[in-house]
Amino acid sequence: MKVSLCIIFWMDLCLLYCQGYRILGIFPYYGKSHFVMFETLMKGLAKNGHQVDIISPFPLKKPYVNYNDLIVIESQVNTVNNVSYDVARKIFTVHAVSTISGNHVCEYLAHPEIQKLIHNPPKNPPYDVVLIEILGAHCLAIFGHLFNVPVIGISSCTLYPWHNHIIGNPENLAILPNNLLNFNNPMNFWQRTYNFLHTVFNKIYFDHLTKYQDEQIRKYVGPNLPSVRQLEKNISMILVNSYFTLNGIRPLTQAHIEVGGLHIQDDGSELSPELQKCLDENKDGFVYFTFGSMIKIESFPRKILDIFYKSFERISPVNILMKIPNPKELPPGLPKNVHTLPWIPQLKVLQHPNAKAFITHGGLMGTQEAISCGVPMIGVPIFGDQFSNVANYVKKNIAIKLDYENLSQDDMDAALNEILNNSTYRKAARKVAQKFIDRPLKAIDTANYWIEYIVKYGWDALRSPAMDLNWWENDLLDVYTFLLLIIVILIYITIRLIQIFLSTILSNSNINVSPMKKMS
């Protein structure tokens, strides 16, 4: 019996590894919140029997089966809990994404270890697919060309204006405000006009700035290689951190795979005994407060921090649990009902039954976790897609938005009282949570399925026919122009015929009148 079980075990193990693929994940950008999603995805692929090799600035602290930190990038900038208030307000522009998250990241092609990988890729076994972040550094798609394997993009947020064309994704600007704008549907005429002009400008500007990546590819990889625009067209699909129940109904091509909330998984972290006791004893509930993995709340202007302090003190005995890496840098006067910790297992805290609300900057990762737990929010967006995220949550009645530039004591007090005492927000949050979680497959299983699908059936298995059309053909502008021309010609011919007809009648009338004049 033991021998049979042993044979079955080894057969299953062999079958698992025989079906596994070798996957290269390239994520050199130093955005920790972005990597949360990528790490979870790669761990999920490793768990399914695939061998994953990772290039990133964030190596694992504990070994994980089938997960290999192939190259660890030493980031020149520390953004983890180190971005000040003033920098955060300017951190996200098209120029910043194109350069800091784009062209600067492409400089890592010169990294000695990456150069070794470029010129001497593994052959036993070779890579089956390459995964890259879709943000600004699309030069990384060159690895798919070098290894002759499909390239799959991963976006830790909804797609930015310069991303949809990569997979031929429909872009209806009449109903879909781009995620850099604080608009909701339905948009009025001026909002639709601004949405169109803003989107077109940002796409052109992004393409202009990132054209420099062609030079970087030639410099660090080799001559006579595809341009970055050509490489974009060879991306097989994009796994996007969105889901229709949260982000709305919109037309999508099959190459746009929604895996919103993929990172929301039990990672085995536990609340410390002290924190567990503190949360359990908060019978009046607590509010969780963090601005993510980058922004230093300590660096906010004293005026804003004083507003926070006074409002927090006024809602006592409700407690505030605040993630603060350096609490000593906070100004004095912190209320007694505020508890600070340098690190907090966020999902565990939001899952606690005493969690009443979440004060957030509107980052997609954290807000998705709060939504999955049915916790209403107070959003204070600062940069990037945070404005559109919070606007979306306000529309769903699961959040209250505050303007950090014009924040007043009355606004903060009113928001806290409303979110804590109006049960409408909690009920709406629980309903949205149910819809967000209810799906045919878990997000990680959806991602794994479609990655395997691309490897099995080829890089173009989900390619949209729109990719083979010019933009004016895709938008039917040539057809509209042709039909308009036909209408103009028909109108012209009709007018000319009427003129000829009238001229003939008048001519005949004059002929008939002339003999009558002679007789008289």
Short mmCIF file of all heavy atoms in Angstrom, two decimals, residues 324-366:
data_model
loop_
_atom_site.label_atom_id
_atom_site.label_comp_id
_atom_site.label_asym_id
_atom_site.label_seq_id
_atom_site.Cartn_x
_atom_site.Cartn_y
_atom_site.Cartn_z
N ILE A 324 2.54 54.48 10.53
CA ILE A 324 3.53 55.55 10.49
C ILE A 324 4.92 54.94 10.66
O ILE A 324 5.25 54.44 11.75
CB ILE A 324 3.29 56.59 11.61
CG1 ILE A 324 1.96 57.31 11.40
CG2 ILE A 324 4.43 57.60 11.66
CD1 ILE A 324 1.96 58.28 10.26
N PRO A 325 5.75 54.94 9.60
CA PRO A 325 7.09 54.36 9.73
C PRO A 325 7.96 55.06 10.78
O PRO A 325 8.73 54.42 11.48
CB PRO A 325 7.68 54.54 8.33
CG PRO A 325 6.51 54.68 7.43
CD PRO A 325 5.46 55.38 8.23
N ASN A 326 7.81 56.39 10.90
CA ASN A 326 8.64 57.15 11.84
C ASN A 326 7.76 58.03 12.73
O ASN A 326 7.67 59.24 12.51
CB ASN A 326 9.65 58.01 11.08
CG ASN A 326 10.54 57.19 10.18
OD1 ASN A 326 11.31 56.35 10.65
ND2 ASN A 326 10.45 57.43 8.88
N PRO A 327 7.11 57.45 13.71
CA PRO A 327 6.19 58.23 14.55
C PRO A 327 6.87 59.39 15.28
O PRO A 327 6.22 60.39 15.61
CB PRO A 327 5.63 57.20 15.55
CG PRO A 327 6.48 55.99 15.41
CD PRO A 327 7.14 56.03 14.10
N LYS A 328 8.18 59.30 15.51
CA LYS A 328 8.90 60.38 16.19
C LYS A 328 8.94 61.65 15.34
O LYS A 328 9.18 62.74 15.87
CB LYS A 328 10.31 59.94 16.52
CG LYS A 328 10.37 58.85 17.59
CD LYS A 328 11.80 58.48 17.91
CE LYS A 328 11.86 57.39 18.99
NZ LYS A 328 13.26 56.99 19.31
N GLU A 329 8.72 61.52 14.01
CA GLU A 329 8.74 62.68 13.13
C GLU A 329 7.40 63.41 13.11
O GLU A 329 7.28 64.48 12.51
CB GLU A 329 9.13 62.26 11.71
CG GLU A 329 10.55 61.73 11.59
CD GLU A 329 10.93 61.40 10.16
OE1 GLU A 329 10.22 61.85 9.24
OE2 GLU A 329 11.93 60.69 9.97
N LEU A 330 6.39 62.80 13.72
CA LEU A 330 5.10 63.48 13.82
C LEU A 330 5.20 64.65 14.79
O LEU A 330 5.92 64.57 15.79
CB LEU A 330 4.02 62.51 14.30
CG LEU A 330 3.48 61.49 13.30
CD1 LEU A 330 2.59 60.49 14.03
CD2 LEU A 330 2.71 62.18 12.19
N PRO A 331 4.49 65.72 14.52
CA PRO A 331 4.49 66.84 15.48
C PRO A 331 3.80 66.41 16.78
O PRO A 331 3.00 65.48 16.79
CB PRO A 331 3.70 67.93 14.76
CG PRO A 331 2.88 67.22 13.74
CD PRO A 331 3.68 66.02 13.33
N PRO A 332 4.11 67.08 17.88
CA PRO A 332 3.49 66.71 19.16
C PRO A 332 1.99 66.97 19.16
O PRO A 332 1.46 67.69 18.32
CB PRO A 332 4.20 67.63 20.17
CG PRO A 332 4.70 68.78 19.35
CD PRO A 332 5.03 68.23 18.00
N GLY A 333 1.33 66.31 20.11
CA GLY A 333 -0.11 66.53 20.25
C GLY A 333 -0.96 65.40 19.72
O GLY A 333 -2.18 65.55 19.56
N LEU A 334 -0.35 64.24 19.44
CA LEU A 334 -1.11 63.10 18.93
C LEU A 334 -2.15 62.67 19.96
O LEU A 334 -1.81 62.41 21.12
CB LEU A 334 -0.16 61.94 18.62
CG LEU A 334 -0.73 60.81 17.76
CD1 LEU A 334 -0.96 61.29 16.33
CD2 LEU A 334 0.24 59.61 17.75
N PRO A 335 -3.44 62.60 19.57
CA PRO A 335 -4.48 62.22 20.54
C PRO A 335 -4.25 60.83 21.12
O PRO A 335 -3.62 59.96 20.49
CB PRO A 335 -5.76 62.26 19.69
CG PRO A 335 -5.44 63.15 18.53
CD PRO A 335 -3.99 62.93 18.25
N LYS A 336 -4.81 60.61 22.30
CA LYS A 336 -4.62 59.33 22.98
C LYS A 336 -5.31 58.17 22.28
O LYS A 336 -4.94 57.01 22.48
CB LYS A 336 -5.13 59.45 24.42
CG LYS A 336 -4.32 60.41 25.28
CD LYS A 336 -4.85 60.46 26.70
CE LYS A 336 -4.03 61.42 27.55
NZ LYS A 336 -4.55 61.50 28.96
N ASN A 337 -6.34 58.47 21.47
CA ASN A 337 -7.05 57.38 20.80
C ASN A 337 -6.42 57.01 19.45
O ASN A 337 -6.98 56.23 18.69
CB ASN A 337 -8.52 57.73 20.59
CG ASN A 337 -8.71 58.92 19.65
OD1 ASN A 337 -7.89 59.84 19.64
ND2 ASN A 337 -9.79 58.91 18.88
N VAL A 338 -5.23 57.57 19.15
CA VAL A 338 -4.50 57.23 17.93
C VAL A 338 -3.34 56.32 18.27
O VAL A 338 -2.49 56.65 19.12
CB VAL A 338 -3.97 58.50 17.22
CG1 VAL A 338 -3.16 58.12 15.98
CG2 VAL A 338 -5.13 59.42 16.84
N HIS A 339 -3.30 55.15 17.64
CA HIS A 339 -2.23 54.18 17.86
C HIS A 339 -1.42 54.04 16.57
O HIS A 339 -1.99 53.78 15.51
CB HIS A 339 -2.81 52.83 18.27
CG HIS A 339 -3.73 52.90 19.45
ND1 HIS A 339 -3.28 52.95 20.75
CD2 HIS A 339 -5.09 52.98 19.53
CE1 HIS A 339 -4.31 53.03 21.58
NE2 HIS A 339 -5.42 53.05 20.86
N THR A 340 -0.12 54.21 16.66
CA THR A 340 0.74 54.17 15.48
C THR A 340 1.62 52.92 15.49
O THR A 340 2.06 52.47 16.54
CB THR A 340 1.65 55.41 15.40
OG1 THR A 340 2.53 55.42 16.53
CG2 THR A 340 0.82 56.69 15.39
N LEU A 341 1.83 52.39 14.30
CA LEU A 341 2.73 51.25 14.11
C LEU A 341 3.50 51.46 12.80
O LEU A 341 2.95 51.99 11.83
CB LEU A 341 1.94 49.94 14.04
CG LEU A 341 1.36 49.40 15.36
CD1 LEU A 341 0.44 48.22 15.07
CD2 LEU A 341 2.47 48.98 16.31
N PRO A 342 4.78 51.04 12.73
CA PRO A 342 5.55 51.21 11.50
C PRO A 342 5.12 50.26 10.39
O PRO A 342 5.32 50.55 9.20
CB PRO A 342 6.99 50.92 11.94
CG PRO A 342 6.84 50.06 13.15
CD PRO A 342 5.59 50.50 13.83
N TRP A 343 4.55 49.14 10.74
CA TRP A 343 4.08 48.17 9.74
C TRP A 343 2.83 47.50 10.27
O TRP A 343 2.74 47.16 11.45
CB TRP A 343 5.14 47.13 9.42
CG TRP A 343 4.66 46.14 8.39
CD1 TRP A 343 4.70 46.29 7.03
CD2 TRP A 343 4.06 44.86 8.63
NE1 TRP A 343 4.17 45.18 6.41
CE2 TRP A 343 3.76 44.29 7.36
CE3 TRP A 343 3.72 44.14 9.78
CZ2 TRP A 343 3.16 43.04 7.22
CZ3 TRP A 343 3.13 42.89 9.64
CH2 TRP A 343 2.85 42.36 8.37
N ILE A 344 1.84 47.31 9.39
CA ILE A 344 0.57 46.71 9.78
C ILE A 344 0.13 45.73 8.71
O ILE A 344 0.14 46.06 7.51
CB ILE A 344 -0.52 47.80 9.96
CG1 ILE A 344 -0.16 48.72 11.13
CG2 ILE A 344 -1.89 47.19 10.18
CD1 ILE A 344 -1.08 49.91 11.28
N PRO A 345 -0.25 44.51 9.09
CA PRO A 345 -0.81 43.56 8.11
C PRO A 345 -2.19 44.04 7.67
O PRO A 345 -3.20 43.73 8.29
CB PRO A 345 -0.87 42.23 8.87
CG PRO A 345 -0.89 42.61 10.31
CD PRO A 345 -0.14 43.91 10.43
N GLN A 346 -2.20 44.79 6.58
CA GLN A 346 -3.38 45.59 6.21
C GLN A 346 -4.63 44.76 6.00
O GLN A 346 -5.71 45.11 6.50
CB GLN A 346 -3.05 46.37 4.93
CG GLN A 346 -4.15 47.30 4.47
CD GLN A 346 -3.63 48.34 3.51
OE1 GLN A 346 -2.92 49.26 3.91
NE2 GLN A 346 -3.98 48.20 2.24
N LEU A 347 -4.53 43.69 5.25
CA LEU A 347 -5.73 42.89 4.95
C LEU A 347 -6.32 42.30 6.23
O LEU A 347 -7.55 42.29 6.40
CB LEU A 347 -5.38 41.77 3.96
CG LEU A 347 -6.55 40.95 3.44
CD1 LEU A 347 -7.58 41.83 2.74
CD2 LEU A 347 -6.07 39.85 2.49
N LYS A 348 -5.47 41.84 7.14
CA LYS A 348 -5.95 41.28 8.40
C LYS A 348 -6.70 42.34 9.22
O LYS A 348 -7.72 42.05 9.85
CB LYS A 348 -4.78 40.72 9.21
CG LYS A 348 -4.12 39.50 8.60
CD LYS A 348 -5.00 38.28 8.71
CE LYS A 348 -4.29 37.04 8.21
NZ LYS A 348 -5.15 35.84 8.24
N VAL A 349 -6.17 43.55 9.21
CA VAL A 349 -6.81 44.63 9.96
C VAL A 349 -8.17 44.99 9.36
O VAL A 349 -9.16 45.15 10.07
CB VAL A 349 -5.88 45.87 9.98
CG1 VAL A 349 -6.66 47.11 10.45
CG2 VAL A 349 -4.69 45.62 10.90
N LEU A 350 -8.22 45.08 8.02
CA LEU A 350 -9.48 45.44 7.36
C LEU A 350 -10.53 44.33 7.50
O LEU A 350 -11.73 44.59 7.45
CB LEU A 350 -9.22 45.73 5.88
CG LEU A 350 -8.43 47.02 5.60
CD1 LEU A 350 -8.02 47.08 4.13
CD2 LEU A 350 -9.26 48.25 5.96
N GLN A 351 -10.07 43.10 7.67
CA GLN A 351 -11.00 41.97 7.85
C GLN A 351 -11.57 41.90 9.27
O GLN A 351 -12.53 41.18 9.50
CB GLN A 351 -10.28 40.65 7.53
CG GLN A 351 -9.99 40.45 6.05
CD GLN A 351 -9.13 39.22 5.79
OE1 GLN A 351 -8.39 38.76 6.68
NE2 GLN A 351 -9.20 38.68 4.58
N HIS A 352 -10.99 42.65 10.19
CA HIS A 352 -11.44 42.59 11.58
C HIS A 352 -12.86 43.15 11.68
O HIS A 352 -13.18 44.18 11.09
CB HIS A 352 -10.49 43.37 12.48
CG HIS A 352 -10.63 43.04 13.91
ND1 HIS A 352 -11.64 43.56 14.71
CD2 HIS A 352 -9.90 42.22 14.73
CE1 HIS A 352 -11.53 43.09 15.93
NE2 HIS A 352 -10.47 42.28 15.98
N PRO A 353 -13.73 42.49 12.43
CA PRO A 353 -15.13 42.94 12.53
C PRO A 353 -15.30 44.32 13.14
O PRO A 353 -16.34 44.96 12.95
CB PRO A 353 -15.78 41.86 13.41
CG PRO A 353 -14.65 41.17 14.11
CD PRO A 353 -13.50 41.24 13.17
N ASN A 354 -14.29 44.81 13.87
CA ASN A 354 -14.40 46.14 14.49
C ASN A 354 -13.91 47.27 13.58
O ASN A 354 -13.93 48.43 14.00
CB ASN A 354 -13.63 46.18 15.81
CG ASN A 354 -14.30 45.35 16.90
OD1 ASN A 354 -15.50 45.08 16.82
ND2 ASN A 354 -13.54 44.94 17.90
N ALA A 355 -13.47 46.94 12.37
CA ALA A 355 -13.02 47.98 11.44
C ALA A 355 -14.24 48.75 10.94
O ALA A 355 -15.14 48.19 10.32
CB ALA A 355 -12.27 47.34 10.27
N LYS A 356 -14.28 50.06 11.20
CA LYS A 356 -15.43 50.89 10.85
C LYS A 356 -15.22 51.67 9.56
O LYS A 356 -16.19 51.96 8.84
CB LYS A 356 -15.73 51.86 11.99
CG LYS A 356 -16.09 51.20 13.31
CD LYS A 356 -17.37 50.38 13.19
CE LYS A 356 -17.76 49.77 14.53
NZ LYS A 356 -18.96 48.91 14.42
N ALA A 357 -13.98 52.07 9.29
CA ALA A 357 -13.72 52.89 8.10
C ALA A 357 -12.24 52.85 7.77
O ALA A 357 -11.40 52.44 8.60
CB ALA A 357 -14.18 54.33 8.33
N PHE A 358 -11.92 53.29 6.57
CA PHE A 358 -10.55 53.30 6.07
C PHE A 358 -10.27 54.69 5.49
O PHE A 358 -10.95 55.12 4.56
CB PHE A 358 -10.40 52.21 5.00
CG PHE A 358 -9.05 52.13 4.35
CD1 PHE A 358 -7.89 52.41 5.04
CD2 PHE A 358 -8.94 51.75 3.02
CE1 PHE A 358 -6.64 52.31 4.44
CE2 PHE A 358 -7.70 51.64 2.40
CZ PHE A 358 -6.55 51.93 3.11
N ILE A 359 -9.28 55.39 6.05
CA ILE A 359 -8.84 56.66 5.49
C ILE A 359 -7.66 56.38 4.57
O ILE A 359 -6.63 55.85 5.01
CB ILE A 359 -8.44 57.67 6.59
CG1 ILE A 359 -9.62 57.92 7.53
CG2 ILE A 359 -7.97 58.98 5.97
CD1 ILE A 359 -9.29 58.83 8.70
N THR A 360 -7.80 56.75 3.30
CA THR A 360 -6.83 56.33 2.28
C THR A 360 -6.57 57.44 1.28
O THR A 360 -7.39 58.34 1.11
CB THR A 360 -7.36 55.08 1.54
OG1 THR A 360 -6.52 54.79 0.42
CG2 THR A 360 -8.77 55.31 1.02
N HIS A 361 -5.45 57.34 0.59
CA HIS A 361 -5.15 58.27 -0.51
C HIS A 361 -5.79 57.82 -1.82
O HIS A 361 -5.70 58.52 -2.83
CB HIS A 361 -3.64 58.44 -0.68
CG HIS A 361 -2.92 57.18 -1.05
ND1 HIS A 361 -3.28 55.93 -0.59
CD2 HIS A 361 -1.84 56.96 -1.85
CE1 HIS A 361 -2.46 55.02 -1.08
NE2 HIS A 361 -1.59 55.61 -1.85
N GLY A 362 -6.43 56.66 -1.80
CA GLY A 362 -7.15 56.19 -2.99
C GLY A 362 -6.35 55.28 -3.89
O GLY A 362 -6.75 55.02 -5.03
N GLY A 363 -5.22 54.76 -3.41
CA GLY A 363 -4.45 53.80 -4.20
C GLY A 363 -5.27 52.56 -4.48
O GLY A 363 -6.04 52.10 -3.62
N LEU A 364 -5.10 51.98 -5.67
CA LEU A 364 -5.98 50.89 -6.09
C LEU A 364 -5.83 49.65 -5.24
O LEU A 364 -6.80 48.97 -4.92
CB LEU A 364 -5.71 50.56 -7.57
CG LEU A 364 -6.74 49.66 -8.25
CD1 LEU A 364 -8.14 50.23 -8.14
CD2 LEU A 364 -6.37 49.46 -9.72
N MET A 365 -4.59 49.30 -4.86
CA MET A 365 -4.38 48.07 -4.09
C MET A 365 -5.09 48.11 -2.74
O MET A 365 -5.86 47.21 -2.39
CB MET A 365 -2.87 47.86 -3.86
CG MET A 365 -2.06 47.72 -5.12
SD MET A 365 -2.50 46.22 -6.02
CE MET A 365 -1.39 46.39 -7.40
N GLY A 366 -4.85 49.16 -1.99
CA GLY A 366 -5.45 49.26 -0.66
C GLY A 366 -6.96 49.39 -0.71
O GLY A 366 -7.67 48.79 0.11
#
